[in-house]
Every structure is written in C-alpha cells, then in structure tokens.
Amino acid sequence: MVVILGGSLAAACAAPGSGNAQPTAAASSAPALSSAPTCGTEPVTMKGYFETGFPIAKALTDEFTKQHPNVTFDIREDQFAVITQNAPRVLADDPPDLMRLPQVSELVKNNLLKNLDEYAKVFGWDKWPPSQLQQMRMAPGGAVRGEGSLYAMGLNFSMTGVFYNKKLAAQIGMTTPPATLADLDAAMAKAKEAGLAPIAQFNGGATGGLAFPLQDLMASYGPAAPINDWIFQKPGATIDTPTNLQATQHLEKWIKAGYFWKDVNAVDYATMMSRFMKGDGLFMFNGDWESGNLDKQMPGDVGFFLMPPVQAGGKQAAMSAPLTFGVGANAKNADCAATFLDWVATDTQARTIGVQIGGSHPMGPADAPMPPIAPGTVTESTLAAGAKIAEDNGSMDFIANATGAIYAKSWTPNLQKLVGGEQTPEGLLKSVQADYVSQVKGG
Amino acid sequence: MKAAVKRRSGSRWAGWLFVLPAAAFYVVFVIQPLAMTVQYSLYSWDGIGVATWNGVQNYLRVFTDPDLFAAILNAIKLIAFFSAVPVVLGLAIAATIRRIAASRLALVARTVIFLPQVIPLVAAGITWSWLLSSTGLVNQLLSYIGLEGITRAWLGDFSTALPAVGVIGAWVLLGLCTLLLLAGMSKIDPALYEAARLDGAGPLREFVSITLPSLRQEIGVCVTVTVVAALASFDIVYISTQGGPGNASMVPGLEIYYLAFSEREVGLASALAVVLTVLVIACALPIQWLTRDRSS
C-alpha cells in the first residue's frame, strides 16, 4: 500500500502535461513534395473520425472506395460537441488520418494538426478563391487565424442567410425578398399584425441562436472585414464598435416588438426546425445545410435570401464556413488523406455528392463544373447566394468561432439575457469583448 | 511459545494482505485522482500542452469571479428543493403509507413513489423538459384551470429556471427518501405505539414523540444524500437547461465540466472541484454528527 501510494504521488508530482508526447517540429511542418501524392496500389485502411448526423463524409468515402478499391475507411462517429471536447486527446493519442475538426486555433498551438501547405502547392489548392481557405489558415504559433499556413480543408462550404415560408409571405403580400433592412422590418411588422410569428429562431440551452440574426445585422450595418479580424483574433480587434452597437440595438428592437417566439430562450435547434416546417414562423435565420431537408419537407414552399443591406444595392455579407476536416500531425496515411481531400473538390462525382447530400457549395476552383440542380429549389437559391457573396467579398466566419468557449460561455448567456431584458445592447458587447480578451490571453 | 508468537505476527500481516486489494483500488481510483485534482488546481493548463505554475490564483478566481461564485450560490439554493422538500414530504408520505400498510394500496403507492429513482436521470430530465415547455402539460393544465396568465417556458425563464430544476430534483429524490424512512418505520417496536395510544396520544402526537425520534438515523442518511445531490448536481441541469438562460441555473458541477472540456482551463476547473469537494464535506460532516445515534 505504501509503495502504491508513494508511486502514485511521485507520478502526480511532475507538472501536468509535460509527459505528453509533443510532435516534433519536423512532423508538423510540411515535407517538401515534388509531385502530387496518391493512395498507391497497396491496400490502405484510413482511420476516420466524423460527425454524426452529417452523411456527406460517409457518402464521399464510399464513393472514393468505389473508385480506389485499395482504400478502405475505418470510421468512428461522434456528436460535434463530443468531437470538440475530445479533439486534442484523440489527435495526441490516436491520430486519425481524416478528422472532422472543431475550431483549430488550440489544436495548431499544440502541434496536433498536419501543416497542409505542401499539399496545397502540389495540388494547386492555392489557386482557388482565397476566401475558401482563409478560415483554415493560421499564423505561426497559432496566434492569429485567417493568414499563414493551411491546417485544414473543407469538404464543401456552407452559406447562411434568411429562409422564408412562401405561403405565409403570400398572406402578408410579400412577393419578392426584402431589398433593404427597412423592407425586412416592414414585412416582420405586417406578419406580427396578421398574427403570424415573424421569426423562427432558437436561443435555448447552451446554443444562443440569436447570434445568427445578430451577426447578419452587424453585416448590414457595417463591413464584414472587421468582424473577421475579431474572429481571427487579430491583435487589437474589438466587437464593441458603433455599427455593431446599432446592430445589437436593432436586434433588441425585434425582441421588444415580439418578433421572436415568447419562449425563444427555451427553444433548441431541433424544435425551431420542426416548428418552422409546421408553418410557425415567417423568417428563419439559418444555413444551407438545411436546403436539402427543406426541399424535401416543404417542396416549393421555402425561399432563401441573403440578409438585405441598410441601403438598397449595398454590399452583402454572410456567415460562410467550410465543413472542416484535418489530418493528424502523426497520422499514418497523410498522403492518402490529402489525395482524398483534393479528390472531393475536383472529382465530378464527388462534387455532385457535395451538393446533393451536403446541400452546400463544393470547394475547388471557381470555374469547376457544378452538378445540375432542380430549378426553383432552395438549394438553387442558396448556391446562387454564394456567387453574390464572393462578388461582394462578404464571406464571414461565425462570431461563435472566435474562441473555443466564446459561444457557450459568452454569446449565449448574454443573448439570453438580452431576450429576458436583463442585458442592454451596450452591456452585451462590452461583456462579450471582456470575455474574449480574457479567453484570448488565457488560451 | 515461540511458535505462537510467530503465528500471531504472521496473522497480523495476513490481515493487511486481505485489505491490500481494496486499498490498492481505493488509492488508484480515489486518492490518486483527488491528489491530482489538487495538484492541477495549482497550475494553469489547457489539458494538452505544458502546464505553468499558478499558485493560488485559480482559487482567488473561484471566489472573485461573479459567475463562478453565483454557481456555488445556486447549488446552495437547490438544497431547499433537493433536500428539504423530499425529506419533509417523504416523512408525511411514509407515515401515511405505514398507516395503510396492510392494504394493497400501500404497495401501489410505494411503487409509484419509488419509480422516479429507477428512471435514469437523463430520461427524467428529458421528460420534465417536455412537461415544462411552453406547450407542455404543466402549461396546458394551468390554462385549463384559468391560470393562462402565469404560463411560460418554465426552464427558459430567468426567474423560474432554477426552481424548475429544483422541482425535477425533488421529484427524483422523493422516492428514495420515502423508501428509506418507510424502512426505518417498520423497525419501530409496535408496542411503543400501542402504549402511546393507551395514554391517549393522537396520530400527530405519535408521529412527533415516537416516529420522528426513532428515525433520527434514517433522516440523517436522507439529508446527507440529498444535500450532496444538490451540491454536486449535474445531470438534471445539463439535460434540462444546460445552465441557462444566461447562467440563471448554472451549478458548480456543470461549470467544472464547461471549464475543463470547453474552455480548457483545467487548472481553474480543478480549483472549483476542490472547493466543491470541501463544501460537500463541510455540509455532510455536521449532518452526520447531529444525527448519529447517541445511545451507541
């Protein structure tokens, strides 16, 4: 007993973390490649760690195996929240070849992800529209995101905006999507008068869905670039700006006017979707990952538009993020993983799967072929919106992704308090900024 | 003589050998994690990289950060629901069931009341979040009897979220307390009641003078178990509100989980865990002392 106790205490006396194997600099910096790697001809088993509920990754790996019979996939799936919590440990102890990634900053800081720069060079990823890869770049040391080396790759990239119920829109005489923020306000007011719920949104539990309309309003009132700077942790960036305050005040106006459900603070994402599909709610701030679902559940009844600007014809912006996958720093089959990621963006069949199953725009060169899409569907309008965002350079990451904990611990409680009348717009931005500063410093 | 001495000293060591397996498990799975938590609480660590020494900074933050301290206060408020309600109500129900002990109704009542204890906490949390939702059964009943004005999303409202969580906890723990108290009552000598009745005591007098004092130890166990459940609550809160809205129902158990796994502040999470452990011991020990059997 004394021996056991002594042994365990001795083990406990070393500083925690120092015993972990740290991948060497050589392992995490990219090896120089002269030609594009392949998966070879020998049997390869790729270890994958994917997100439950998103069939696109599985569909793509199945198709890849069909085209490259020597490659098979050994896939483990978890909920995104579980992946977020386990990512560092999984990457350190048992690095997958291909893994769905949460926010990458902390993983890069700890040298857990493979640097993909050399693959980008030989495959020509660096010739794609730069905005596609921007969110997955990290400066050396993992301090600032949005620039530097590439540490992840997307299977496709999503687009957010406003969905609307066409039947309810007809009831209030709305025939075209609102062109300005004032038009949107007017439509909401009309809906409220007609006894309809103007906005379907979630804001319960640890996921404050009012961050969607808030960030859309921020992009209506001000430019998108400073919001990205804040999300990417550029030194000196702040969320507490005059235009963001106008946006938050506008959101508060919607809350006070009763445009959200009375119980919005107790509504989770799934409840929002089921209510919207039952016809409860004219507008819904959400993303194109639901396009396919809405096309199936309410065919022909749902429209989509990008958040309208304050001035007619003004620049538009939207939260748009790649469905990020990365390669473990010590992964066994990194070359094959990179080959797969390139194939996803360039193979015609893979791009079709990306649109039809993923519902979002595929990665890849701007002139790459697009699969045929049925006209009049939501998918068609969300993909078209992507072109407008590219033209306006209005692609933003999500304000919830600024740090690992900013969503659950700062945006969500503050937005819930704003709904409950326990927080002011000024206080909300100041409180989030204070949490951000302490998290960036601490992390 | 010599042989006898030898055998005695040998058997002393044999005794230790019997304890060894259990002691080894205890050290590896209880003492060591506890020691490591205390150690981590003195570092600033993200759970992966190298930790840096932080002294008592984490402890200072636990007591100065209003969010963290509010979580501790919420746990103390939950004691009223998790502990007071089940024990008081449990006593009343157990006394009632005992009076009808012979009838079949008693068996049904016992089963129904103990049922919440059998249901997994996660299932209970999900069921209650439906019952308490804005269109749930609770609000339907309130509307039916004309109290539409007070209906709300009970778990999403700042003033009612914590009490609503408390009600779920009370519902879960009531069965356990009732069963424990009922078991305690069954071992009270019936002659005591008979004697009291001969002296003209009514049911209330019987309860106060015989039942209650005889149940001292059972009440002690109930109070200890439920107070610990309140202070260390996690599952019910995690399922029903996740600490929301706006931290209104945040408790230390959940905060530790968020700090360690989503904010990756393992040091601060450990410090809060140590404070919570000390708080639980500080509450449980006096209860044990107050309710222990003085006659033995």
Side-chain angles (χ1 to χ4, degrees), chain B residues 2-119:
Chain B
K2 250 182 191 172
V5 170
K6 221 182 211 167
R7 202 178 305 135
R8 209 179 300 142
S9 79
S11 70
R12 204 172 64 211
W13 285 107
W16 280 107
L17 269 177
F18 281 115
V19 176
L20 191 65
F25 270 93
Y26 191 72
V27 168
V28 172
F29 293 108
V30 179
I31 304 287
Q32 176 174 333
L34 212 58
M36 283 168 83
T37 307
V38 173
Q39 189 211 356
Y40 290 170
S41 72
L42 302 172
Y43 285 85
S44 167
W45 188 33
D46 65 359
I48 326 156
V50 178
T52 51
W53 178 259
N54 210 8
V56 293
Q57 286 301 317
N58 290 329
Y59 289 93
L60 288 179
R61 261 190 74 188
V62 168
F63 291 106
T64 52
D65 188 324
D67 281 350
L68 298 185
F69 198 67
I72 296 179
L73 287 183
N74 281 345
I76 293 171
K77 286 181 204 161
L78 278 183
I79 293 179
F81 291 95
F82 278 53
S83 197
V85 173
V87 172
V88 172
L89 217 56
L91 271 172
I93 293 171
T96 313
I97 292 182
R98 198 192 60 85
R99 295 186 76 83
I100 55 164
S103 76
R104 197 174 288 166
L105 197 62
L107 182 71
V108 176
R110 256 204 318 262
T111 313
V112 168
I113 286 169
F114 192 67
L115 208 57
Q117 196 64 37
V118 182
I119 297 171

Side-chain angles (χ1 to χ4, degrees), chain A residues 47-291:
Chain A
K47 203 164 10 164
Y49 187 20
F50 298 165
E51 179 181 359
T52 311
F54 284 75
I56 174 172
K58 181 76 175 48
L60 285 168
T61 53
D62 285 349
E63 176 64 26
F64 192 78
T65 300
K66 215 188 277 170
Q67 295 187 16
H68 306 81
N70 65 317
V71 183
T72 50
F73 289 83
D74 172 18
I75 296 166
R76 168 184 161 195
E77 287 193 358
D78 267 324
Q79 299 281 349
F80 190 66
V82 179
I83 295 181
T84 305
Q85 286 156 20
N86 288 339
R89 276 175 290 278
V90 170
L91 283 165
D93 298 341
D94 186 19
D97 298 309
L98 211 53
M99 173 171 167
R100 169 82 170 107
L101 292 179
Q103 215 268 42
V104 296
S105 307
E106 279 144 9
L107 304 178
V108 173
K109 266 178 222 170
N110 284 295
N111 294 324
L112 293 170
L113 287 178
K114 189 147 203 102
N115 183 325
L116 302 178
D117 277 352
E118 284 298 317
Y119 295 123
K121 218 178 287 167
V122 294
F123 283 120
W125 299 344
D126 45 8
K127 294 184 190 68
W128 299 354
S131 67
Q132 282 185 23
L133 304 182
Q134 190 193 18
Q135 294 175 20
M136 301 174 288
R137 292 187 181 278
M138 291 283 296
V144 179
R145 207 150 55 90
E147 55 192 48
S149 293
L150 187 68
Y151 282 98
M153 189 58 179
L155 292 193
N156 57 20
F157 61 97
S158 58
M159 184 60 54
T160 61
V162 192
F163 291 93
Y164 67 101
N165 183 320
K166 284 184 177 167
K167 275 190 186 156
L168 298 185
Q171 275 183 41
I172 60 155
M174 182 185 124
T175 48
T176 54
T180 64
L181 186 57
D183 289 350
L184 181 62
D185 278 344
M188 286 183 186
K190 256 191 206 163
K192 183 80 190 166
E193 266 169 44
L196 302 172
I199 308 172
Q201 206 66 27
F202 67 105
N203 206 41
T207 51
L210 258 57
F212 280 86
L214 176 62
Q215 190 173 352
D216 279 334
L217 284 163
M218 285 177 174
S220 285
Y221 276 102
I227 301 174
N228 268 335
D229 289 350
W230 184 79
I231 298 164
F232 294 155
Q233 302 185 9
K234 291 242 170 86
T238 177
I239 197 73
D240 189 9
T241 64
T243 53
N244 287 348
L245 179 59
Q246 282 178 299
T248 317
Q249 284 165 340
H250 202 114
L251 182 71
E252 194 194 33
K253 210 170 75 187
W254 285 354
I255 294 168
K256 292 206 164 140
Y259 291 170
F260 294 100
W261 291 316
K262 221 176 96 196
D263 61 347
V264 65
N265 266 358
V267 175
D268 61 12
Y269 184 87
T271 309
M272 168 188 77
M273 284 309 296
S274 78
R275 285 194 195 172
F276 181 78
M277 289 192 287
K278 268 190 248 160
D280 185 7
L282 172 58
F283 299 112
M284 174 174 73
F285 295 83
N286 204 342
D288 61 2
W289 49 86
E290 293 293 355
S291 301

Side-chain angles (χ1 to χ4, degrees), chain A residues 1 4-5 7-9 11-18 20 22 81 83-89 92 102 106-107 110 112 204-207 262-263 265-266 275 404-405 408-409 412-414 416-422 435 438-439 442-443, chain B residues 16 19-20 23-24 27-28 31-32 35-36 39-40 43-52 61 67-68 133-135 148 151-159 238 241-247 250 255 257-265:
Chain A
M1 160 131 182
I4 298 167
L5 188 60
S8 65
L9 286 183
C13 279
S18 52
N20 279 350
Q22 289 292 314
I83 295 181
T84 305
Q85 286 156 20
N86 288 339
R89 276 175 290 278
E106 279 144 9
L107 304 178
N110 284 295
L112 293 170
T207 51
K262 221 176 96 196
D263 61 347
N265 266 358
R275 285 194 195 172
K409 296 297 291 180
T412 298
N414 276 299
Q416 288 171 340
K417 285 180 190 169
L418 191 71
V419 171
E422 310 227 337
D435 289 340
S438 96
Q439 285 172 9
Chain B
W16 280 107
V19 176
L20 191 65
V27 168
V28 172
I31 304 287
Q32 176 174 333
M36 283 168 83
Q39 189 211 356
Y40 290 170
Y43 285 85
S44 167
W45 188 33
D46 65 359
I48 326 156
V50 178
T52 51
R61 261 190 74 188
D67 281 350
L68 298 185
S133 77
S134 55
T135 52
E148 209 151 4
T151 61
R152 67 194 71 198
W154 298 94
L155 291 165
D157 192 285
F158 278 83
S159 52
Y238 182 70
T241 66
Q242 290 171 291
N247 293 335
M250 185 59 80
E255 187 76 60
Y257 166 76
Y258 279 138
L259 282 172
F261 295 104
S262 93
E263 299 194 46
R264 295 198 207 296
E265 292 207 40

